[in-house]
Amino acid sequence: MTSVSGCPVSHGSVPLSGPRFQSDPVQLYRELRRDHGAIAPVVLDGDIPAWLVLGYRELHQVTGDPVLFSRDSDLWNQWDDIPADWPLLPMIGRKQNSILYTVGERHSVRAMMISNALEGVDPFSLKRYAEEFADELIDRFCTKGSVDIIADYAKLLPALVLARIYGFSDETAHPLVDSINDMIDGRERALAGAEHLGASMFQLLADKHAEPGDDVASRMIADPGRFTDEEIAQDLMVMMAAGHQPTADWMGNSLRLMLTDDRFAASLSGGRHSVAEAMNEVLWEDTPTQNVAGRWAARDTHLGGRHIRAGDMLLLGLAAANGDPQVRTDGSALTGGNNAFLSFGHGEHRCPFPAQETAEVIARTGIEVLLDRLPDVDLAVRAEQLTRRPSPWLRGLTDLPVIFTPTPALGRPGLHGGHA
Ligand code: HEM
């Protein structure tokens, strides 16, 4: 273990960027742990210092103490050095009014409001929506014999299902899904995408005030906590953006595992059991949520042998903690229902349980329907040619090209069937 140290930037800090987060994160986290211990000093874009929490135990400690390690980004001691056009501002925001940055009692009632609204979704309807949208998307490419599963399937399915349960009509869902993907891509259409998403949420709330329905937005409006439209719209945006992309990546990473690993390849068709196993293994070994920002120290403290100053930012190294040798003593691949991974976070700000279940139903149904419809689906390129997005935050494939025997479309009403 390294000695106790202060300001992260002055002690051999590691940039939280670069090709190894893309190509080789497991080995990278191992080296960081070897060189820095459970808490590594890192620098973000523009040499902004932060601590990356790599240890499983230390991550529990940080996420389990929301008073000492707060979600309130206003505490950050670096705001004076953050330029107005800092690229990470959309993710690490100041004075944001969503659930993510709300603390204390207000956070508890707000998290409860979100959980209750999601829990009101009938599980059978959720699965049916996922099946219908999956079938409709597959109909678009099943006669062609090849497809990129990421662009034409995984990047669409979760947002379509979420839009349906939140209360959007299917006509509004499609442009919405495009704007979410534009926003997440972070390129020239990102800002327009974010604006469209925001405007759509306020329009949805206006529609549901006028005519409430059996949907998540109507339940959020009716919550006894009496949240403002501004608060609800902010939370729906989090639930849409933070819900869609990791679920899409969970599907993509699980399908990659099943298509490249012999343990799963043998049972691809009809391999329902192995779908659950692959999805569980991905949350341990290849989680979509690699690193999450963040927590801010409310006062000077010590953690993992480090001196943390009041206002320092800590990043949650979920992927590194999942692989912490202190909890993975036998070094084995963990499958078969061990859910002690930290991929959904931990503590008060963890991903709400009904959100985790929603993600699981969408991802599992998406994979099962795809394998049912295209039983001989196979990679169209060599496994080594598959690449990840160059991000230290969410880990997912850039594309997943596959081939299969062409098969007729089902032509069932789905996307425009209006089941809401
Ligand atoms: C594979 C899918 C998903 C993964 C891996 C995931 C992961 C996470 C993680 C790690 C956090 C904690 C962030 C922190 O501690 O600062 C979180 C928070 C959150 N997630 Fe998820 N999530 C997923 C899907 C979803 C879905 C589908 C929804 C909505 C339906 C959702 C809604 C939320 C919300 C509202 C929060 C904020 C909770 C709070 O701050 O109290 N997530 N998620």
Side-chain angles (χ1 to χ4, degrees):
M1 188 87 128
T2 45
S3 60
V4 171
S5 62
C7 173
V9 82
S10 58
H11 290 269
S13 302
V14 183
L16 196 73
S17 58
R20 295 195 63 204
F21 282 98
Q22 200 178 352
S23 60
D24 189 17
V26 172
Q27 184 58 25
L28 176 64
Y29 297 132
R30 208 169 282 155
E31 289 170 17
L32 284 178
R33 196 179 284 110
R34 181 197 64 204
D35 297 343
H36 301 278
I39 317 281
V42 294
V43 283
L44 303 173
D45 279 278
D47 271 353
I48 303 296
W51 299 105
L52 180 62
V53 185
L54 302 159
Y56 188 96
R57 200 162 8 122
E58 289 75 11
L59 202 64
H60 252 256
Q61 214 176 321
V62 169
T63 49
D65 190 344
V67 175
L68 179 54
F69 300 107
S70 172
R71 243 302 186 177
D72 182 359
S73 59
D74 281 357
L75 296 174
W76 201 10
N77 53 26
Q78 296 296 315
W79 280 121
D80 288 348
D81 293 330
I82 302 295
D85 61 350
W86 195 49
L88 294 177
L89 270 183
M91 193 173 67
I92 305 172
R94 190 178 202 182
K95 307 233 178 287
Q96 291 194 0
N97 188 20
S98 81
I99 173 94
L100 291 178
Y101 295 96
T102 304
V103 298
E105 178 56 23
R106 190 67 179 161
H107 174 264
S108 307
V109 288
R110 207 158 163 180
M112 185 67 78
M113 177 262 291
I114 291 176
S115 284
N116 288 341
L118 286 169
E119 237 158 30
V121 179
D122 169 44
F124 296 104
S125 302
L126 176 65
K127 187 162 166 50
R128 184 164 55 83
Y129 298 153
E131 283 169 353
E132 285 173 0
F133 282 120
D135 271 333
E136 189 80 18
L137 291 172
I138 293 168
D139 271 3
R140 294 181 187 174
F141 56 73
C142 63
T143 56
K144 296 182 184 157
S146 66
V147 71
D148 170 14
I149 290 186
I150 301 301
D152 293 336
Y153 193 63
K155 267 177 87 165
L156 305 175
L157 184 66
L160 285 168
V161 180
L162 292 175
R164 169 75 69 84
I165 64 171
Y166 293 171
F168 286 102
S169 69
D170 289 344
E171 292 70 43
T172 41
H174 283 280
L176 195 68
V177 172
D178 291 340
S179 50
I180 294 164
N181 282 316
D182 286 346
M183 189 178 85
I184 290 167
D185 279 349
R187 286 196 277 263
E188 63 278 6
R189 293 206 305 270
L191 203 58
E195 277 166 11
H196 180 247
L197 182 65
S200 307
M201 291 307 172
F202 280 105
Q203 185 57 52
L204 177 69
L205 293 181
D207 294 347
K208 298 299 168 184
H209 276 295
E211 198 178 329
D214 178 11
D215 52 62
V216 169
S218 298
R219 283 190 284 275
M220 290 168 84
I221 291 171
D223 190 274
R226 304 189 71 79
F227 294 90
T228 62
D229 275 10
E230 172 67 26
E231 286 173 307
I232 298 174
Q234 290 279 349
D235 288 353
L236 280 169
M237 274 186 269
V238 169
M239 291 159 68
M240 194 48 122
H244 167 68
Q245 187 64 44
T247 308
D249 288 334
W250 194 9
M251 278 175 68
N253 294 357
S254 303
L255 276 163
R256 185 206 65 90
L257 178 64
M258 297 188 76
L259 292 169
T260 56
D261 191 313
D262 287 346
R263 288 173 303 141
F264 297 99
S267 56
L268 265 188
S269 53
R272 303 243 162 184
H273 186 54
S274 54
V275 173
E277 280 189 348
M279 287 175 62
N280 183 268
E281 184 166 323
V282 160
L283 290 184
W284 276 106
E285 309 289 347
D286 190 22
T287 174
T289 39
Q290 295 271 302
N291 298 301
V292 169
R295 298 293 189 271
W296 288 268
R299 54 174 166 77
D300 284 10
T301 187
H302 284 92
L303 180 74
R306 297 281 185 182
H307 176 61
I308 311 289
R309 288 175 311 147
D312 279 0
M313 179 165 71
L314 298 105
L315 306 172
L316 312 181
L318 305 180
N322 286 342
D324 185 339
Q326 296 208 3
V327 292
R328 301 286 297 277
T329 41
D330 60 356
S332 62
L334 282 165
T335 58
N338 180 337
N339 290 336
F341 45 72
L342 292 172
S343 308
F344 287 108
H346 171 70
E348 278 183 23
H349 279 272
R350 60 153 207 286
C351 192
F353 289 119
Q356 298 183 27
E357 283 157 19
T358 304
E360 202 265 341
V361 170
I362 297 172
R364 183 167 37 80
T365 307
I367 296 171
E368 285 176 358
V369 173
L370 189 87
L371 297 180
D372 277 350
R373 295 276 308 270
L374 313 173
D376 64 353
V377 64
D378 202 358
L379 270 189
V381 296
R382 289 198 319 279
E384 311 80 71
Q385 289 174 277
L386 296 174
T387 53
R388 310 292 187 141
R389 292 190 310 270
S391 165
W393 310 105
L394 285 180
R395 180 165 169 82
L397 292 162
T398 51
D399 50 11
L400 184 57
V402 295
I403 46 171
F404 50 86
T405 306
T407 158
L410 296 178
R412 284 210 302 254
L415 296 186
H416 302 290
H419 301 270

